[in-house]
Amino acid sequence: MNRLVILCFLLVIFTVDAQQQTRLPLRDYFFETWNTRSGLPHNSINSLAQTQDGYLWVGTWEGLARFNGQEFKLFTRSEITDLPDSGVRALTPTSDGGLLIAGARGGISLYQHRQWDTQPNAQAMVNHVFKSKNEDLWLALENDGVFYRPAKSTQDIPIIQNVSAYRIIEDKQGTIWAATSDGLYKIVNYTATLMTPHHGLPDAPVYTLLITREGRLVIGSERGARVLNGNVFESPHLQLNAESISSLLEDNHGDLWFGTINKGVFRLSVDGIEQLDAKNGLPANRILSLLQDRENSIWVGTNAGVFRLREAPFSSWGKKRGLSSDYVRTVLSHSDGSLWIGGSTGLDRLQNNKITHIKGTKQGSPYSVLSLLEQSQGDVWVGTYTSGVLKVVNNELVPYLNRDNGLGSNEVRSLLFDSKNRLWVGSAMGLTRVNTDGSLDQFTNEKELPSGFILALSEDKRANIWIGTGNGVVVYNTNTDKFKPIQFPEAFSAKYAFGFYIDDKYTWMATDRGLLRYQHSNGHMTILGRELGLPVDKLFQIVPFKDSLWLSSNRGIIEVNYKQVNKLLDSATKGSQTLAFQLYDEGDGMLSAQANGGSTPSATAHSDGTIWFATAKGVSTVKPARLKEATEIPLPTIVESFSVDGKPMLLPVDGDTLVLPPGVTRLSFHYAGLSFIMPQRLNFQTKMKGFNDEWVDRLHIATAEYTNLPAGKYSFAVRSAYPNTDWQQNDKVIHFEIQSHFWQKTSFKLLVFFIFVVVIYSAYRYRLYRYKQVEKELTSRVVKQTQALQEQASAFAYQATHDQLTDLPNRRAFDGWLADNFTDFKARNTPLAIAIMDIDHFKRINDGWSHLIGDQVICEVANILKAHCEGEQEVARWGGEEFTFVFPDMNTVQAQQLCEQLRKEIENNDFSSIAQGLSVTVSFGVSDSDNVDDYDRLLSRADQALYKAKNNGRNRVECIAS
């Protein structure tokens, strides 16, 4: 009978709409934690709330924090006047957009219209505050019981006394329920009745309450959770009966979340019960509060900070979820709806969220899988690192072709069945073709191929086979049996071809210098690289999906718009346009941003609308439709602060006009878009009506400043948008008026004009008299102004060639010096060495400390470089964390020695004054002018040397030998 009741309850709770929505397993959520190091005043999160304006509020023992997605603003007794103590125990949003806070020493305050209205104190600590439908204020007090404060009254009337009350709630019928140390009380017409074990409740304190969307009462007690079914409380799940439930939540799917005293969080859904505790990511097992925000993220308040679970764009599968290996090299979408995943320690098949290991070992060790291929009949072929080609037969790996029976190398990075059903095997020692009669044809770099290292194979609609190698691309025509090399333009500096995508007009190639586009009609090639805004050099795989291209790289997954990329590459004025892209990494749910390449397929689109990527920590998957859904969520825009001539002003209530005194010279606005899933990626536009009626793009900048606005009426408007989406109708407008000085008024201007007319004749006569004196004075002024302009021009010239942060010469100065002097050095046959230096893992410094710390590190490094570069040696800031050096009259060896000294100076430098625990290392790439005909090539060789230093582990000096 009990099971039937529970089943009926679940069928009601988990409604049809909820079941139709996609529900992620807890392990697939993306986890984030905030604590005192993130800006919170205390790590015990007593309460969480989101107000109608979109802000997230966090109540702690040391004050209240308001979160806008990027930073916390603190409210303590200093900001909330008349509050007896900063400790906040309860947060309750009001129906009209306000926020009630209550806590230690009975303090109660209402935040409304950006102002605090502190209420009369209760007689004890307030564990919960609640406003009923009839506007009564209900108070749950520690040790003192339950009280209510009638509307427009300051008197607290007792209902239940001499108990600790923890939470109060009102159901749809107007019944008040109170959770207390005595148990559950039902309050009707201000009369309380204790619900006894006779009603199915445990004989234990009740800590928390919840009314579901279906109107069901759920209670959390010291001895489990119960749900009111008719007049009897039933257990929703046997596993919860022994747990101490401290908080409750119903999410948008209709699932129930249970926070416990010492076991973390449980979620009960139609899929069963799941648990998340400190072993699986929670900062602590003691749960104090639960909240789901309007973007459907789950916020968990613990005694060790705020923890968030959100449906990140990406989720990952690794060893913890059953894969054979965390290091995945290849992933194949099979026609039967399954996914095949190959890694360093075996091959797996994923179907219906279940992993099947493919059997087969070599001398007891699992195969290291590099590449995968599905034949037209559905058979799966496998390329390995050391064992050649295998075939999956009856869920087991069976050897097929290796070096012992004709394969050039056992390292197989790409496989292809062509339109004539011949198997092509791309290995580290050339290309092998297995003909339909079983015979083999070998193609090597000695004759047909530019390189024997084969990375990618693909066949186009004209039966041409595109072969990507470690030294360019070659195309094999299956009709003429001839190879045609595809020469990369020298200016591209591209060499490796890791993957192909072929459409009707173009072949797209993922190379070590960006995305290369080859036009079929005329062979014209263009490249999308760093010069056009691509954030990385090296791309591995191209996956088309609807109107986007998804590109894998060592720094994450890049999404670009197909039409925008073509427009950018077709434009004759490429420099005036910028590439719009999204870079996804660990912050978007990937376990590792390092997507693997050099084997195919390393990324694939699947039949269920997902895209899968092989990474250094499992296989990551993204569902673009989920990304689109996220950008359709309403996005509130907030003006957070407004200052006049550096002084903060109280923002006006919506619709009101703020009157500013005459003489205002500078207005500053700080605003935010209240998104907690992608706050750093939001775009902003502003408009100052009365000054300029056009929207101005601010990109990601969250401030706007205006100076010297004339007197008049203005309306400042700001709006925000998710990346790559249209602007929502979420304008936030601030109306204000700058008053006029008395001399700016019309009456005063008329008076001045009349006086001017009367005086003008006398002034004219006087001017004739003073003509010569004025002429001399004007001449003197011209001379002074000319001198000032010359000084200003000199200052501008200096600023144009020097970096403002470090005061070092900038890239323009360095390029100019090199262009002006390189030819002279070559003509004199005098050696010239240069070096490029990069601060290692600089992104970690910015992410781990802050961009301010990153700027201080750059300045400190610049000071060290300036102190140790003497004579004619030049150092310049190249850009970002990169610096360049010129060593006149030195060859590579001499320059390398100097760079090694600099590297050691920086490595041994004490950066703790900037940030505790901070250490900095750098990498150098060195080259000289020997055997180099132009300075661009000299720079390219130094850049290659730097690339070599990074690949060899960083914190080192590498050079390119002459």
Side-chain angles (χ1 to χ4, degrees), residues 436-471:
T436 54
D437 61 0
S439 62
L440 302 180
D441 290 322
Q442 302 286 355
F443 308 99
T444 68
N445 59 325
E446 295 180 359
K447 183 178 180 182
E448 299 90 357
L449 305 175
S451 168
F453 195 65
I454 309 301
L455 295 166
L457 297 168
S458 185
E459 185 176 19
D460 63 24
K461 293 181 179 179
R462 294 175 295 279
N464 295 316
I465 296 178
W466 292 72
I467 304 159
T469 78
N471 190 26

Side-chain angles (χ1 to χ4, degrees), residues 645-710:
D645 292 334
K647 298 180 180 179
M649 301 289 292
L650 185 65
L651 289 167
V653 177
D654 292 345
D656 289 354
T657 299
L658 183 65
V659 179
L660 303 180
V664 168
T665 60
R666 181 164 55 92
L667 304 177
S668 299
F669 299 87
H670 181 76
Y671 42 82
L674 296 185
S675 169
F676 301 105
I677 56 175
M678 53 181 78
Q680 295 86 0
R681 293 180 176 155
L682 297 181
N683 296 314
F684 296 97
Q685 283 187 336
T686 61
K687 177 170 61 177
M688 182 65 80
K689 189 175 181 181
F691 172 71
N692 183 359
D693 289 345
E694 299 295 327
W695 287 103
V696 177
D697 288 324
R698 300 287 181 177
L699 300 178
H700 306 317
I701 300 174
T703 58
E705 191 169 283
Y706 299 86
T707 57
N708 299 317
L709 290 176

Side-chain angles (χ1 to χ4, degrees), residues 358-553:
I358 307 303
K359 302 175 184 178
T361 60
K362 180 182 180 182
Q363 297 177 349
S365 298
Y367 290 108
S368 181
V369 178
L370 276 179
S371 54
L372 291 168
L373 172 68
E374 181 187 3
Q375 198 175 0
S376 57
Q377 304 94 320
D379 294 337
V380 174
W381 297 76
V382 181
T384 67
Y385 208 141
T386 60
S387 303
V389 180
L390 313 175
K391 184 177 181 181
V392 179
V393 179
N394 296 326
N395 205 39
E396 184 173 354
L397 291 167
V398 177
Y400 173 76
L401 183 65
N402 53 48
R403 194 167 53 235
D404 295 336
N405 54 4
L407 193 61
S409 168
N410 283 335
E411 183 179 333
V412 177
R413 293 183 174 270
S414 189
L415 296 166
L416 172 71
F417 270 103
D418 65 16
S419 53
K420 296 182 179 180
N421 203 34
R422 297 175 295 186
L423 175 63
W424 294 76
V425 182
S427 73
M429 295 294 291
L431 189 61
T432 301
R433 184 177 66 195
V434 183
N435 300 311
T436 54
D437 61 0
S439 62
L440 302 180
D441 290 322
Q442 302 286 355
F443 308 99
T444 68
N445 59 325
E446 295 180 359
K447 183 178 180 182
E448 299 90 357
L449 305 175
S451 168
F453 195 65
I454 309 301
L455 295 166
L457 297 168
S458 185
E459 185 176 19
D460 63 24
K461 293 181 179 179
R462 294 175 295 279
N464 295 316
I465 296 178
W466 292 72
I467 304 159
T469 78
N471 190 26
V473 172
V474 65
V475 178
Y476 175 79
N477 189 313
T478 58
N479 296 319
T480 63
D481 289 332
K482 292 183 179 180
F483 288 88
K484 174 186 175 184
I486 303 296
Q487 296 292 337
F488 292 165
E490 186 175 347
F492 292 177
S493 190
K495 190 172 182 181
Y496 286 84
F498 295 102
F500 299 107
Y501 161 56
I502 305 174
D503 59 26
D504 293 335
K505 292 181 62 177
Y506 307 108
T507 292
W508 299 83
M509 310 178 203
T511 76
D512 57 344
R513 284 296 181 268
L515 182 63
L516 195 149
R517 187 187 71 176
Y518 176 92
Q519 191 165 347
H520 297 153
S521 59
N522 55 17
H524 180 64
M525 281 187 279
T526 50
I527 192 167
L528 178 70
R530 285 186 180 271
E531 295 79 5
L532 296 183
L534 196 70
V536 298
D537 277 327
K538 188 182 297 182
L539 301 176
F540 294 132
Q541 194 82 26
I542 309 163
V543 180
F545 191 89
K546 295 186 177 179
D547 56 355
S548 295
L549 295 178
W550 293 75
L551 314 173
S552 64
S553 78

Side-chain angles (χ1 to χ4, degrees), residues 300-322:
V300 183
T302 76
N303 62 346
V306 176
F307 179 79
R308 179 175 67 172
L309 303 90
R310 68 178 172 94
E311 296 186 1
F314 285 79
S315 60
S316 298
W317 289 75
K319 289 188 70 173
K320 288 184 178 180
R321 297 185 64 179

Side-chain angles (χ1 to χ4, degrees), residues 112-351:
Q112 191 95 36
H113 306 305
R114 306 185 188 94
Q115 294 183 341
W116 290 101
D117 179 15
T118 302
Q119 310 291 311
N121 293 343
Q123 64 189 37
M125 182 173 72
V126 183
N127 287 323
H128 188 229
V129 59
F130 162 75
K131 184 175 283 189
S132 63
K133 296 174 184 176
N134 62 0
E135 298 297 316
D136 289 345
L137 195 68
W138 289 80
L139 308 173
L141 306 184
E142 184 74 19
N143 294 325
D144 281 16
V146 176
F147 291 72
Y148 79 95
R149 185 179 296 177
K152 299 180 181 179
S153 172
T154 60
Q155 181 182 4
D156 294 342
I157 301 173
I159 298 296
I160 307 167
Q161 292 183 284
N162 300 321
V163 299
S164 285
Y166 305 113
R167 193 166 186 86
I168 307 172
I169 201 166
E170 183 178 21
D171 65 19
K172 294 182 178 181
Q173 290 73 40
T175 301
I176 304 293
W177 300 86
T180 76
S181 56
D182 279 354
L184 179 67
Y185 280 90
K186 179 179 182 180
I187 304 172
V188 179
N189 296 327
Y190 304 102
T191 300
T193 303
L194 179 64
M195 307 300 288
T196 66
H198 176 72
H199 298 92
L201 287 171
D203 186 12
V206 176
Y207 297 129
T208 185
L209 304 170
L210 170 71
I211 300 294
T212 69
R213 288 192 293 271
E214 295 296 321
R216 299 287 184 119
L217 174 65
V218 185
I219 69 107
S221 77
E222 188 179 66
R223 292 170 52 192
R226 298 292 187 275
V227 181
L228 183 59
N229 186 22
N231 294 318
V232 178
F233 286 89
E234 301 283 353
S235 171
H237 196 281
L238 294 178
Q239 188 173 340
L240 297 170
N241 287 353
E243 305 301 337
S244 294
I245 308 298
S246 55
S247 50
L248 294 167
L249 170 69
E250 182 188 23
D251 67 18
N252 62 308
H253 297 297
D255 301 343
L256 291 178
W257 296 69
F258 302 87
T260 69
I261 298 295
N262 55 14
K263 293 289 184 66
V265 174
F266 290 86
R267 181 178 71 175
L268 180 62
S269 70
V270 292
D271 297 327
I273 194 162
E274 299 169 273
Q275 182 182 9
L276 185 67
D277 56 19
K279 296 179 181 179
N280 300 308
L282 275 176
N285 280 331
R286 183 174 178 83
I287 309 303
L288 306 175
S289 48
L290 290 168
L291 171 75
Q292 184 174 42
D293 66 20
R294 60 181 179 79
E295 294 171 311
N296 297 328
S297 295
I298 303 295
W299 298 78
V300 183
T302 76
N303 62 346
V306 176
F307 179 79
R308 179 175 67 172
L309 303 90
R310 68 178 172 94
E311 296 186 1
F314 285 79
S315 60
S316 298
W317 289 75
K319 289 188 70 173
K320 288 184 178 180
R321 297 185 64 179
L323 285 186
S324 299
S325 172
D326 274 333
Y327 198 86
V328 175
R329 291 192 176 97
T330 179
V331 56
L332 171 71
S333 175
H334 198 279
S335 58
D336 66 2
S338 64
L339 280 154
W340 294 72
I341 303 165
S344 59
T345 55
L347 176 65
D348 303 295
R349 182 173 182 264
L350 172 62
Q351 190 166 31

Side-chain angles (χ1 to χ4, degrees), residues 567-596:
K567 183 178 180 181
L568 185 60
L569 294 177
D570 291 339
S571 173
T573 56
K574 301 182 181 69
S576 62
Q577 301 183 42
T578 57
L579 175 69
F581 67 90
Q582 290 301 315
L583 176 63
Y584 301 100
D585 51 24
E586 287 92 343
D588 300 291
M590 300 180 69
L591 295 179
S592 171
Q594 178 186 325
N596 287 326

Side-chain angles (χ1 to χ4, degrees), residues 20-80:
Q20 289 176 346
Q21 302 178 48
T22 302
R23 175 185 293 102
L24 284 181
L26 286 184
R27 60 176 176 262
D28 281 358
Y29 278 90
F30 181 60
F31 299 160
E32 291 173 281
T33 300
W34 292 264
N35 50 37
T36 51
R37 286 180 290 182
S38 312
L40 284 171
H42 196 277
N43 281 331
S44 287
I45 312 303
N46 295 324
S47 187
L48 294 163
Q50 187 172 34
T51 45
Q52 290 180 7
D53 55 13
Y55 277 117
L56 186 79
W57 298 81
V58 183
T60 78
W61 289 121
E62 290 297 332
L64 179 68
R66 187 182 71 188
F67 191 42
N68 66 4
Q70 299 198 65
E71 59 185 0
F72 291 95
K73 177 177 175 57
L74 304 186
F75 297 89
T76 62
R77 290 181 57 233
S78 301
E79 292 79 21
I80 309 174

